[in-house]
Structures are given as C-alpha cells and as structure tokens.
Amino acid sequence: MSDDVGYGRVAALVPAAGRGERLGPGAPKAIREIAGTPMLVYAVKALAASPVVDVVVVAAPSDYREDVGSLLQPQEFSAEVFVVAGGESRSESVARALIALPDDVDVVLVHDAARPLVPPEVITNVVAAVRDGHAAVVPVVPLVDTIRTVSGDASLGATVSRDSLRAVQTPQGFTRDVLQRAHAEVDAPVTDDAGMVERLGISVHAVDGHEDAFKVTRPLDVVLAEALIEHRRTR
Ligand code: C5P
C-alpha cells in the first residue's frame, strides 16, 4: 500500500516451514493439499490478491525451497513473491524472511501458511490499524467452549470467564522497526510475533479476526477447509 501520502510498501511474511506433525505423517504441512491445491498456495494467493499487500516472502521448509518456488511460479500475483529457506522454529523462519525484505517496506504482516482461508477484510483491517498508529496489531476471535483449568489428577479446576478471553489469529501486523527489534532483542519461548513484541514493552492492539481464518492443525481441520472452499465456490 505505498501511496501518495509517503508511506512505504506493505510486506507479508509467511512462515511455512513447519512439519505439521499433528496432521499425521506426510510432506510438510504447507505443501499438503486441500481440495487438490497445496495449503500454502491459498495463503499466498489471499495475501498477494489483497490491495494492501505489495510483497510476500514465504519461508519454506529448507529441503522444499525449490518445490515451493515452482508451486508458486505459475501463479499470477499482483504482489512480488519471494521464497527463502525457513528455520528450525517459527520465529527463526520469520527472522529469515525479515532479512529478505526490500528496503522500502515499512509495514510487515506475519501470516501462518496454515491459515489458508483468511478473508480479505482481516488483512485490510490489520494493515489499516497499523497505519492508524498501532505498532502491533492482532486479529482475535471469541472462544466458543467453556474454558476450565484441569489439575494433574484430571480434576476440574476453576472456570475461566470466557468474556475476557480471545483466540489470536494471523495475519499479525507491525511496523517494520518494531518487528525487527523484537526479532533482534527477544529470545523467549513465545508462539507468535505479538508475544515477542510485547516483551519489548509495546502494547498490542486487537482487531476483529474471522472464523474462516482458523489454523489447519489436525485432520478434522482439513475436512473443514475443504468444505469451506466448496461452500465459497458454490455460493
Ligand atoms: O506449528 P504451528 O501450527 O504453530 O505453526 C504455525 C506456522 O509456523 C505454520 O504456518 C508453520 O509452517 C510455521 N512454522 C515455520 N517454521 C517452523 C515451524 C513452524 O515456518 N520451524
């Protein structure tokens, strides 16, 4: 979204180097097929088709980097798309993608390849919130289940009030400076980039996520994703 008011470009980093063991044995998760197309292709298409995204950098499993390159090559994207080798952890994969960013990028999204069906408005809302002055932005959704703690002997503990809880999705959006600083300075076992940025003492702003942006993690999620693709095709 570079434009007349002097903004830089917007890049989306796609960590896609996970093995996806919870999905069962097979190829790395990002290149497993959903309705005949590798999961990663949906995620990259969603980002590259967004009018607010200019550059997409995919962190592929290092032994599949060329395969991922050739999966994406025949697609016609309006955004520039690069592929780099990912790392041993999600944060290392993001760090490697960060290194490949062009200089004129000032807003960076990080989006899991494992969330292939993210709707366009989530991407737009996250970028808009960063442009509005929030250095770190996450899309969130309410929880549907009753949440309880469970102790070691399997007895139920307290009910945690659902009203104040949210599940955090991606794409998460950041100013480039803040995300780079988090990756340079924070070495903590956190599962997302917003968690790293918080360790810098920067507060994270929440916007509405969407149930379609669910993470494909377990075998049932593949069934759900295929049903949603079919639903979108026929509606
Ligand atoms: O394992 P989990 O589902 O939390 O992974 C979230 C995202 O991080 C996935 O898109 C996965 O491919 C990516 N990842 C990565 N490099 C790793 C591990 C996970 O890019 N080493």
Side-chain angles (χ1 to χ4, degrees):
M1 198 171 52
S2 58
D3 61 26
D4 302 341
V5 291
Y7 289 140
R9 293 198 294 164
V10 175
L13 311 184
V14 184
R19 306 309 303 187
E21 275 150 19
R22 285 169 291 181
L23 259 191
K29 178 159 74 175
I31 59 174
R32 294 202 208 180
E33 292 190 352
I34 297 181
T37 301
M39 197 179 319
L40 171 71
V41 173
Y42 294 97
V44 173
K45 269 188 176 166
L47 294 161
S50 168
V52 299
V53 174
D54 304 296
V55 178
V56 178
V57 185
V58 177
S62 52
D63 43 345
Y64 283 82
R65 186 181 160 184
E66 285 181 13
D67 303 70
V68 167
S70 34
L71 278 179
L72 296 175
Q73 211 168 21
Q75 318 286 335
E76 292 203 355
F77 299 121
S78 53
E80 273 179 73
V81 178
F82 306 107
V83 181
V84 301
E88 289 301 309
S89 63
R90 183 184 183 281
S91 65
E92 199 184 323
S93 295
V94 173
R96 288 182 178 204
L98 263 177
I99 292 169
L101 279 184
D103 289 344
D104 61 351
V105 165
D106 69 345
V107 170
V108 184
L109 305 179
V110 183
H111 182 61
D112 292 332
R115 297 182 189 272
L117 302 177
V118 57
E121 65 267 27
V122 177
I123 302 169
T124 310
N125 291 346
V126 170
V127 172
V130 178
R131 289 288 186 220
D132 271 354
H134 299 287
V137 177
V138 297
V140 299
V141 286
L143 302 182
V144 289
D145 293 315
T146 296
I147 305 296
R148 302 283 298 261
T149 59
V150 180
S151 54
D153 66 357
S155 59
L156 279 189
T159 297
V160 183
S161 168
R162 210 165 50 191
D163 293 347
S164 61
L165 295 178
R166 297 289 181 275
V168 173
Q169 302 182 319
T170 72
Q172 301 186 350
F174 307 93
T175 59
R176 178 183 186 150
D177 294 355
V178 159
L179 187 63
Q180 278 182 328
R181 201 146 63 78
H183 279 268
E185 294 175 21
V186 177
D187 183 16
V190 288
T191 50
D192 68 357
D193 297 274
M196 293 178 78
V197 164
E198 265 170 353
R199 304 285 170 116
L200 298 175
I202 291 170
S203 67
V204 179
H205 180 71
V207 297
D208 287 341
H210 195 288
E211 59 184 352
D212 291 7
F214 66 94
K215 187 161 71 168
V216 176
T217 306
R218 291 159 297 194
L220 178 64
D221 300 323
V222 176
V223 178
L224 186 59
E226 291 190 334
L228 180 55
I229 289 164
E230 181 62 11
H231 175 71
R232 285 182 179 177
R233 200 179 62 76
T234 54
R235 85 182 158 194

